[in-house]
C-alpha cells in the first residue's frame, strides 16, 4: 500500500480536512504521516540592512508559529498512535511541498483543493493543481464544493477510467492500494470504465457492436489481472463500457451511479475517482487541463491523480519540472 503520506497544511480548517482521511489510510497501511507547511514572507522595502533584518525576523517568527501549529496537530486525537513528522520551510508553497515529497520519498499526497481565503488561497488552478500536475507521487485531492469531508464516509469504492493505453493503466496500482486501505478490514471494490465516443477516430467499416465488444474484452482482461493481484480475495473488480460523445461526462455519469445509467457500478456511487494524468498521445490525450481536469472540476468526489513514470521521465528529458 503506502509508506509515507504527505499532508500539506496552511493553517486553515479547510486544509485540515485532509487529516482524517490521511490518518485512515495511514492506519490501514502502516504508513508514516508528514505534515508540511510553507512559510511565505512578503518582500520588504526600505534601507537594505533594515529590510534584510526585518525579513529575517518575520521569517523566524512565522516559522516558529508554523512549527507550533504542526506540533499541536501531530499530537491531536485524530492522529493519535500514528508516527507523525512535521516540516516547515520558507518558500513558495507548491515548491516546498513538491521538494518535501521528493526528498522524503512520499508515495501519496493528500490535500484539499481550497485552503486559506484571499490571495494566498489554495485553489484549483493554483497550488493544488500545480502539485497534482508535477508530483511524482499520486495526489489525492479532496474537492467538495464547500462541503466538509465526512470522516466516516465510505470512500472504499474506487472508479478507474481507462482508455486502452498503458499510461492510463498507471492509475491501477495506486487505486488498488487506496481501495484496500480505505476498505480495511472489509472488501475493497474497484470499478473499471471505458467511455467510447461513437463516430470519433473509428474506421468506417468497423461496427459499433464490435468496438464495444473489444472494449469489454480489454476491461475483462485488465479486471481479471487486477483481481488476481488482490490480497486473499480482499479486492472485488467489476467493469463496464459506456458510450458518450463527451468522455468526461460519461465518467461522471458512472461515478454518480445515476439510476438506470448504462455501465453503473454494481456497488453504487463511487467514493473516489482515480485517473492517470495522461492516456493517449496527441490531441486525444487525457491530460490535466483536459478530461482529468474537467472531471476534477465537475465532481464532488475525491480524486486520485497519478502521473505515470513514463510521463515523469519524458518531462525530465524535456527539462520540465517533475517534482
Amino acid at each position: 500500500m503506502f509508506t509515507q503520506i504527505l499532508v500539506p497544511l496552511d493553517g486553515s480548517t479547510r486544509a485540515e480536512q485532509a487529516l482524517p482521511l490521511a490518518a485512515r489510510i495511514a492506519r490501514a497501511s502502516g504508513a508514516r504521516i508528514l505534515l508540511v507547511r510553507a512559510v511565505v514572507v512578503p518582500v520588504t522595502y526600505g534601507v537594505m540592512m533594515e529590510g534584510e533584518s526585518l525579513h529575517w525576523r518575520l521569517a523566524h517568527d512565522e516559522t516558529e508559529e508554523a512549527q507550533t501549529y504542526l506540533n499541536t496537530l501531530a499530537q491531536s486525537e485524530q492522529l493519535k498512535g500514528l508516527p507523525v513528522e512535521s516540516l516547515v520551510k520558507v518558500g513558495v508553497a507548491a515548491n516546498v511541498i513538491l521538494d518535501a515529497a521528493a526528498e522524503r520519498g512520499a508515495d501519496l499526497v493528500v490535500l484539499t483543493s481550497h485552503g486559506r481565503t484571499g490571495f494566498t488561497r489554495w485553489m484549483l488552478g493554483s497550488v493544488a493543481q500545480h502539485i497534482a500536475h508535477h508530483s511524482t507521487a499520486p495526489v489525492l485531492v479532496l474537492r467538495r464544493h464547500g462541503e466538509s469531508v465526512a470522516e466516516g464516509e465510505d470512500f472504499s469504492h474506487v472508479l478507474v477510467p481507462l482508455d486502452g493505453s498503458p499510461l492510463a493503466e498507471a492509475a491501477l496500482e495506486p487505486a488498488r492500494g487506496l481501495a484496500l486501505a480505505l476498505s480495511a478490514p472489509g472488501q475493497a471494490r474497484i470499478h473499471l470504465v471505458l467511455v467510447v465516443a461513437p463516430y470519433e477516430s473509428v474506421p468506417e467499416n468497423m461496427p459499433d457492436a464490435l468496438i464495444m465488444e473489444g472494449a469489454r474484452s480489454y476491461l475483462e482482461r485488465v479486471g481479471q489481472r487486477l483481481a488476481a493481484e488482490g490480497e486473499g480475495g480482499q479486492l472485488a473488480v467489476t467493469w463496464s463500457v459506456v458510450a458518450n460523445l463527451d468522455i468526461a461526462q460519461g465518467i461522471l455519469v458512472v461515478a454518480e451511479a445515476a439510476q438506470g445509467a448504462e455501465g453503473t457500478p454494481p456497488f453504487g456511487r463511487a467514493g473516489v475517482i482515480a485517473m492517470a494524468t495522461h492516456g493517449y498521445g496527441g490531441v486525444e490525450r487525457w491530460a490535466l487541463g483536459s478530461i482529468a481536469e474537467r472531471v476534477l472540476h465537475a465532481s464532488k468526489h475525491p480524486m486520485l491523480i497519478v502521473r505515470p513514470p513514463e510521463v515523469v521521465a519524458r518531462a525530465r528529458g524535456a527539462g520540465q519540472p517533475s517534482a
Side-chain angles (χ1 to χ4, degrees):
M1 296 188 197
F2 304 101
T3 59
Q4 181 80 280
I5 300 171
L6 187 152
V7 183
L9 297 165
D10 64 359
S12 70
T13 55
R14 174 67 181 172
E16 290 171 17
Q17 288 176 6
L19 290 172
L21 199 57
R24 185 172 161 187
I25 298 169
R27 287 193 173 92
S29 305
R32 304 181 65 85
I33 287 183
L34 175 64
L35 307 178
V36 177
R37 183 167 178 182
V39 171
V40 180
V41 181
V43 177
T44 57
Y45 298 92
V47 180
M48 182 177 295
M49 291 305 295
E50 182 180 348
E52 288 182 359
S53 176
L54 177 59
H55 187 276
W56 184 90
R57 290 199 303 272
L58 285 172
H60 180 268
D61 292 346
E62 288 280 343
T63 298
E64 282 198 339
E65 180 185 341
Q67 190 62 64
T68 300
Y69 164 73
L70 293 187
N71 290 343
T72 301
L73 283 181
Q75 298 169 19
S76 64
E77 188 65 26
Q78 57 191 343
L79 297 180
K80 186 176 181 179
L82 290 171
V84 181
E85 296 179 80
S86 61
L87 176 67
V88 177
K89 279 191 175 183
V90 177
V92 178
N95 294 340
V96 167
I97 294 162
L98 290 171
D99 288 345
E103 292 168 5
R104 298 296 185 94
D107 46 17
L108 181 66
V109 178
V110 183
L111 53 73
T112 54
S113 60
H114 293 71
R116 286 186 186 274
T117 56
F119 182 75
T120 59
R121 69 187 181 277
W122 287 0
M123 60 178 292
L124 213 58
S126 182
V127 175
Q129 180 170 326
H130 186 87
I131 293 169
H133 190 63
H134 293 289
S135 174
T136 55
V139 179
L140 181 58
V141 181
L142 308 182
R143 178 172 169 78
R144 300 304 298 266
H145 298 282
E147 302 171 9
S148 64
V149 179
E151 184 173 354
E153 191 168 343
D154 186 2
F155 295 121
S156 62
H157 303 165
V158 180
L159 175 70
V160 185
L162 298 174
D163 63 4
S165 73
L167 289 179
E169 291 177 19
L172 290 172
E173 183 57 29
R176 184 179 74 90
L178 185 64
L180 288 169
L182 292 177
S183 65
Q187 185 181 52
R189 299 175 182 178
I190 287 181
H191 187 78
L192 311 176
V193 63
L194 196 155
V195 181
V196 176
Y199 316 119
E200 289 192 1
S201 304
V202 176
E204 293 182 2
N205 60 347
M206 183 178 291
D208 289 347
L210 185 59
I211 297 169
M212 298 294 280
E213 183 57 36
R216 290 191 189 96
S217 296
Y218 162 71
L219 290 183
E220 183 176 5
R221 291 194 303 273
V222 174
Q224 289 176 345
R225 185 185 74 218
L226 189 62
E229 296 171 352
E231 302 178 10
Q234 290 181 310
L235 179 65
V237 184
T238 54
W239 51 87
S240 60
V241 178
V242 297
N244 197 311
L245 286 171
D246 187 326
I247 302 295
Q249 183 60 35
I251 293 169
L252 291 169
V253 167
V254 177
E256 293 294 341
Q259 187 174 4
E262 182 184 0
T264 296
F267 50 75
R269 185 177 184 270
V272 178
I273 303 173
M275 292 181 70
T277 56
H278 290 69
Y280 279 123
V283 176
E284 294 178 308
R285 72 186 183 281
W286 284 4
L288 207 62
S290 181
I291 293 175
E293 186 177 1
R294 285 185 57 208
V295 173
L296 188 56
H297 272 282
S299 176
K300 294 181 180 180
H301 296 75
M303 190 163 172
L304 182 68
I305 300 172
V306 181
R307 289 185 78 208
E310 296 90 335
V311 174
V312 174
R314 192 183 311 148
R316 286 172 174 165
Q320 300 173 5
S322 58

